[in-house]
Amino acid sequence: MNALIRILRARRFAARFVLAGAVAVGLAAPVLAEPPLEKTEIRYQGWAGQVTFAELAEDLGYLAPLKLKWVGNTISGPQDIQTVVTGDTDIGGAFYGAILKLIAAKAPIKAVIGYYGSDANTYQGYFVKDDSPIKTARDLIGKKVAVNTLGAHLEFVLREYLARNGLSAGEARQVTLVAIPPVTGEQALRQGQVEVSTLSGVLRDKALERGGIHSLFNDIDLFGQFTGGAYVLRDKFIRDNPNASRKLVEGISRAIQWAQATPPEEVRARFEKIIAERKRNEDGSTIKYWKSTGVASKGGVISDAEIQVWIDWLVKDGLFKPGQIRASDTYTNEFNYFRPGKTAEAR
């Protein structure tokens, strides 16, 4: 009988222990839950026939309960981040040089995640016709070069190419840049409207398939693999919406890493699905040529080094004074899912 009583008492003690544990877990649950978002709608610009990493993040479910609101398309990084400065959009992306120039002009923005770049599969090339007399950088003096927009990636790379090949600032100014939509760059080159045209991705691959043109130089010839630009947020947006900022950037960084780690054919299939479902009356056939993100770091984590190269260039070009801007002041990895020292992956 005494043995039976001891068994029953032990069972009651175990039951109370389990109940206490359940209560403790219940009390802890709200602490582990995601904090409420200050806003749930993010305004952004897209690119016709392309899928941005914000759009990919939403499709993969990484942004919920955030929702994206498309306000139109752009073909220009500087224009995209200018809309962030003016408050017409919440997030935009551009080449680091364009971001730095805006920050130097006291624009209240901060880079939050690297989103594009160049590697062996994804790069910006400067092309001439096979019968072109242009063979060297010096041959570009007095010639016209097509770029998607002025003051951005393509202009900076071209000017670096000219400088490395010994052209003076005065000689470099004799090379004329012509802003042309990327989709008409090949046509402008073949029809003689320009002597050099910048081509990348599908536009480059399709042009090479047609033949008659070749590369004069590529951006990776100068810089190797590199992340060339970032998405930015307004300082006020970050202050007013810290939880939404984290959700947005974490989601985008996870989407970038997903695209980095997933076989290209699966990424292309996902992009094609997104384009078909959003119904913007656009041609999505170029997606089949997508090969890689071009982003050098996991999930677009930003480093001082990838920004410093452009600060140094701007100082060398006389646009910045030495010490005018510190790389570390222009960006934050605070919201990146793969930020150094974070615990996000353990969740």
Side-chain angles (χ1 to χ4, degrees):
M1 181 64 69
N2 290 337
L4 179 59
I5 291 173
R6 284 196 298 271
I7 291 172
L8 292 174
R9 286 176 178 173
R11 288 178 177 175
R12 285 196 296 270
F13 176 81
R16 286 196 298 269
F17 181 81
V18 171
L19 178 60
V23 171
V25 170
L27 292 173
V31 177
L32 298 175
E34 286 193 356
L37 303 183
E38 301 83 3
K39 64 179 302 178
T40 57
E41 183 178 84
I42 302 296
R43 298 165 301 158
Y44 79 103
Q45 293 187 117
W47 291 71
Q50 300 180 37
V51 176
T52 70
F53 284 118
E55 291 169 327
L56 176 61
E58 182 175 51
D59 189 70
L60 290 169
Y62 294 156
L63 295 187
L66 279 182
K67 294 185 180 298
L68 297 180
K69 181 179 181 181
W70 176 64
V71 298
N73 286 331
T74 185
I75 63 166
S76 166
Q79 185 276 338
D80 199 25
I81 60 175
Q82 190 66 246
T83 63
V84 177
V85 175
T86 58
D88 295 308
T89 60
D90 298 313
I91 187 170
F95 166 60
Y96 278 126
I99 294 171
L100 291 169
K101 287 197 287 186
L102 265 185
I103 292 176
K106 307 302 182 183
I109 57 174
K110 197 171 293 297
V112 292
I113 182 172
Y115 79 102
Y116 88 88
S118 296
D119 59 26
N121 292 314
T122 302
Y123 59 87
Q124 298 284 349
Y126 295 70
F127 289 84
V128 297
K129 292 193 289 186
D130 286 347
D131 60 358
S132 171
I134 298 173
K135 308 296 182 185
T136 69
R138 190 158 294 278
D139 295 333
L140 291 172
I141 295 175
K143 303 300 191 296
K144 296 187 290 294
V145 179
V147 295
N148 69 317
T149 188
L150 302 180
H153 182 118
L154 297 177
E155 178 178 348
F156 274 64
V157 171
L158 173 63
R159 294 175 69 181
E160 178 69 9
Y161 172 72
L162 299 176
R164 289 196 191 185
N165 284 276
L167 272 70
S168 67
E171 290 171 327
R173 284 193 290 271
Q174 296 177 53
V175 181
T176 302
L177 298 178
V178 182
I180 291 178
V183 293
T184 59
E186 178 191 356
Q187 179 183 3
L189 175 63
R190 294 188 186 278
Q191 293 181 349
Q193 298 169 10
V194 297
E195 286 79 19
V196 182
S197 186
T198 50
L199 299 169
S200 65
V202 55
L203 300 176
R204 176 197 67 223
D205 292 348
K206 292 177 76 171
L208 289 173
E209 284 177 3
R210 283 186 276 270
I213 67 170
H214 64 270
S215 170
L216 178 64
F217 72 97
N218 303 319
D219 56 0
I220 56 174
D221 296 336
L222 302 177
F223 301 106
Q225 181 177 356
F226 67 100
T227 300
Y231 285 124
V232 302
L233 297 176
R234 289 189 310 282
D235 294 341
K236 186 177 186 302
F237 182 93
I238 293 173
R239 287 195 306 270
D240 294 346
N241 308 282
N243 298 330
S245 297
R246 182 176 300 281
K247 188 69 177 179
L248 175 63
V249 178
E250 280 195 353
I252 293 173
S253 65
R254 292 176 66 193
I256 290 173
Q257 198 278 330
W258 180 87
Q260 289 172 321
T262 301
E265 60 272 17
E266 292 184 29
V267 179
R268 289 192 289 267
R270 194 88 185 203
F271 285 169
E272 289 170 350
K273 178 183 80 74
I274 293 170
I275 288 175
E277 290 178 350
R278 68 191 184 192
K279 294 181 173 59
R280 293 181 189 169
N281 191 30
E282 60 194 320
D283 179 9
S285 62
T286 59
I287 291 298
K288 66 182 179 181
Y289 290 87
W290 186 92
K291 296 177 181 177
S292 66
T293 67
V295 178
S297 61
K298 184 177 182 178
V301 171
I302 301 173
S303 68
D304 279 10
E306 69 189 43
I307 295 179
Q308 189 62 49
V309 64
W310 304 112
I311 293 177
D312 293 344
W313 198 98
L314 289 161
V315 170
K316 181 180 68 175
D317 204 45
L319 297 174
F320 283 7
K321 297 176 182 178
Q324 180 179 348
I325 285 185
R326 294 192 309 170
S328 58
D329 293 335
T330 64
Y331 74 94
T332 178
N333 284 318
E334 176 186 359
F335 305 122
N336 194 303
Y337 190 82
F338 303 99
R339 57 194 176 273
K342 56 82 189 160
T343 58
E345 285 181 289
R347 290 205 297 266

